[in-house]
Amino acid sequence: MTPNRWSDLSRPPLNQTALRRALLHEKHPLWTHLEVLESVTSTNTELVSRTRAGEARPGTVLVAEEQTAGRGRLDRAWSAPARSGLFFSVLLRPHAAAERWGWIPLLAGVAAAGALARTAGVDTGLKWPNDILATGADEERKIGGILAERVDDEHVVLGIGLNVTLREDELPVPTAGSLALAGAQGTDRDPILRAVLRAFEDWYGRWSAADGDPASSDVLEAYAAGCVTLGRSVRAMLPGGEELLGEAVAVDGDGRLVIASEQGVQRPVAAGDIVHLRPATGK
């Protein structure tokens, strides 16, 4: 038999039936529908399209074994071999005020990082605004990314991509990583996906119960505790070529990164206003 991209026995398919049994019941009221697709351009693109067409309801989870045109923030490409990771999007209908929706991808980072640490036994961290890192061995590698898109006045599609079994020769860039390369104690994608979705439901529930207040829901404290960006010298590249140099000193109540210049002037920058965030000594 001629090998193909689906024949790698080290990368078994997700079990849609088992995932539905584990997540679609009264203990997890947030989730209403779960579907595993063999291949799709992008789970976010597909779910946004279904939402606009009235073909998806809040609580839908769309998972793909392969994305042919995955994307991250600012439409940057996200590529990975079939079944090598978790690529999924969820449809939310937040009841909190729209100005607080920017906290959804941040709380998703808190949930995913915590779930990966517990389930895979990997040290994790968060790089503001939307990266999940494997930390340890004196290095940090990006193993995941988060993308939230507002569909209309009522809905948000949240996408998460996680590298699970990518090998060194499959990494898209040298700074990328995977759970396997980080020494994960397990790379079975089914329990990892269940853990991430359950953790997200927990944090989203706290945030929703607090009407989106990041402080009283403890989301702000948890994000700041896990954010490796804080306390570091950074270079923020803004639209139009402007650069902002300084120390990342805080994440404010609006989810913006506060950068303090050498002169002590503090300036908050929002995720939507930043093109790149790099170490001040980096290229």
Side-chain angles (χ1 to χ4, degrees), residues 14 34-37 43 61-65 86-89 193:
L14 292 164
L34 186 146
E35 183 177 352
V36 178
L37 305 175
T43 57
V61 182
L62 201 62
V63 192
E65 295 283 24
L86 286 168
F87 324 112
F88 62 98
S89 299
L193 178 58

Side-chain angles (χ1 to χ4, degrees), residues 33 44 55 59 99 117 181 214 233-234 242:
H33 176 74
N44 258 36
E55 298 172 352
E99 57 265 23
L181 291 172
S233 295
V234 297
E242 181 187 0

Side-chain angles (χ1 to χ4, degrees), residues 219-245:
V219 172
L220 176 56
E221 181 181 1
Y223 187 86
C227 183
V228 302
T229 307
L230 297 181
R232 296 184 178 180
S233 295
V234 297
R235 176 191 292 119
M237 281 160 273
L238 308 177
E242 181 187 0
E243 287 192 357
L244 180 61
L245 291 170

